[in-house]
Amino acid sequence: QWFSTTHCKTLRENFYEGRLKLARSYFNRGKEQEIKVSEVTSDMIRAFLDNLSELRREATPYVKSVTDHTVRHYNASLKTFFNRLIMEGQWEGKNPALLVPLMKVQKPRVRFFYGQELLDLEQSFRTHAELWPYYVMGLHTGCRIEELMRMRVKDSDPILGQVFLPDSKNGRSRYVHLSPNMIDFVKSLMAGKKPEAWLITQSDSRTERWGYGYLLRHFKLCCQGEGVSIKKGEAWHVLRHTFVQRLLAKGESIYKVS
């Protein structure tokens, strides 16, 4: 519970929480009382990872299988859980997950959109007034979709040409610099909105319509409509890759981009 309330407050609040919930459910199978952290062993963790595919299907019926990347992520999450408890003095003991080596997986080729694909997608997204700002901001700032969803008017500064992100993926704040064209675009998004309003969403409502699933689904529909192929796990984040690729193609230093 301590870990969930202090360390799981990321952009996706269920990033760790969902994984730990599944692991805890497995560890407690056949137990009359919930086991303690000190009772978790490396063998239990290894068995959990071996059965992860079946467990995911039980928890989420539409999941057909899990990849080696997913198994690696769950293993890393359990290591993070124990490390955080030890680091913060919440538990005295050794990390049982350290005895379970991370699965080695080959890194996939980084996907980015090519010139003609961008032209086709631009035509598609322009017809969707609600999605167009997400597409433009993602392509020209390199921000993640979750970061775009959480941008507020008060964090946008067209005078200095930057947008402040109080919560990035790693929990740290950062600034995103805007090109001259993007400064004008951000000004148009800010027009008529209160400081606390969302920069892109047309209202303060955070209903399902503006949820991650909604944006993900419609991004894929736009790609399908233009015949642009994307693999499983590839969606809005490809715009971030494209942003980086275009900077490097223009001769920008890879150290500065990173």
Side-chain angles (χ1 to χ4, degrees):
Q1 183 179 3
W2 173 86
F3 184 83
S4 297
T5 56
T6 60
H7 192 61
C8 291
K9 296 300 180 182
T10 58
L11 291 179
R12 296 187 196 176
E13 294 182 357
N14 63 343
F15 182 72
Y16 284 110
E17 197 169 2
R19 298 174 183 179
L20 294 177
K21 182 178 179 180
L22 189 63
R24 188 172 65 179
S25 175
Y26 177 79
F27 295 153
N28 285 299
R29 283 188 174 184
K31 307 287 185 181
E32 295 183 358
Q33 295 182 344
E34 188 169 357
I35 66 171
K36 300 178 180 179
V37 173
S38 58
E39 296 175 331
V40 178
T41 65
S42 58
D43 289 335
M44 294 170 64
I45 295 176
R46 191 174 292 107
F48 166 69
L49 296 176
D50 290 340
N51 291 277
L52 184 58
S53 182
E54 180 181 349
L55 296 172
R56 284 288 304 274
R57 284 197 300 269
E58 292 177 359
T60 313
Y62 67 82
V63 174
K64 298 180 180 179
S65 61
V66 298
T67 64
D68 291 343
H69 282 277
T70 302
V71 176
R72 180 184 173 90
H73 290 164
Y74 271 80
N75 192 0
S77 296
L78 289 172
K79 286 188 176 183
T80 300
F81 167 71
F82 285 102
N83 282 338
R84 178 63 60 169
L85 292 182
I86 296 172
M87 185 184 306
E88 299 293 339
Q90 296 294 322
W91 179 56
E92 295 182 0
K94 295 183 178 180
N95 188 340
L98 291 178
L99 298 178
V100 183
L102 292 173
M103 182 177 294
K104 294 183 178 181
V105 295
Q106 184 176 2
K107 292 185 178 180
R109 179 188 176 190
V110 175
R111 173 73 161 101
F112 55 84
F113 293 127
Y114 295 89
Q116 187 58 50
E117 290 178 323
L118 289 173
L119 293 176
D120 295 338
L121 288 176
E122 180 176 339
Q123 293 180 352
S124 179
F125 278 97
R126 275 188 180 276
T127 63
H128 299 275
E130 299 170 335
L131 300 178
W132 175 244
Y134 284 101
Y135 175 79
V136 174
M137 292 289 286
L139 180 61
H140 295 283
T141 67
C143 288
R144 302 176 178 89
I145 184 61
E146 297 94 335
E147 294 171 341
L148 296 175
M149 292 168 61
R150 294 189 175 229
M151 282 185 178
R152 293 185 182 272
V153 172
K154 67 178 182 179
D155 296 324
S156 307
D157 191 338
I159 297 178
L160 294 180
Q162 62 187 20
V163 176
F164 175 64
L165 301 178
D167 296 304
S168 61
K169 182 178 179 180
N170 59 12
R172 298 176 182 175
S173 61
R174 65 186 177 95
Y175 286 92
V176 175
H177 296 282
L178 305 173
S179 65
N181 290 336
M182 286 308 299
I183 291 176
D184 293 335
F185 189 79
V186 168
K187 284 182 178 179
S188 68
L189 296 177
M190 296 173 63
K193 294 181 181 178
K194 298 179 180 179
E196 292 294 333
W198 305 104
L199 179 62
I200 299 181
T201 306
Q202 298 301 313
S203 70
D204 286 337
S205 174
R206 299 302 283 175
T207 60
E208 182 181 354
R209 178 177 179 80
W210 291 105
Y212 177 81
Y214 172 86
L215 295 173
L216 178 63
R217 182 168 61 255
H218 283 77
F219 183 90
K220 293 181 177 179
L221 289 174
C222 287
C223 289
Q224 293 173 4
E226 296 299 327
V228 177
S229 62
I230 55 174
K231 297 179 181 180
K232 181 180 179 181
E234 295 178 344
W236 289 97
H237 204 75
V238 181
L239 293 177
R240 181 174 171 84
H241 295 165
T242 306
F243 170 76
V244 172
Q245 184 272 333
R246 294 170 76 181
L247 287 178
L248 295 176
K250 292 180 180 180
E252 190 61 75
S253 168
I254 190 171
Y255 298 103
K256 186 175 182 180
V257 173
S258 62

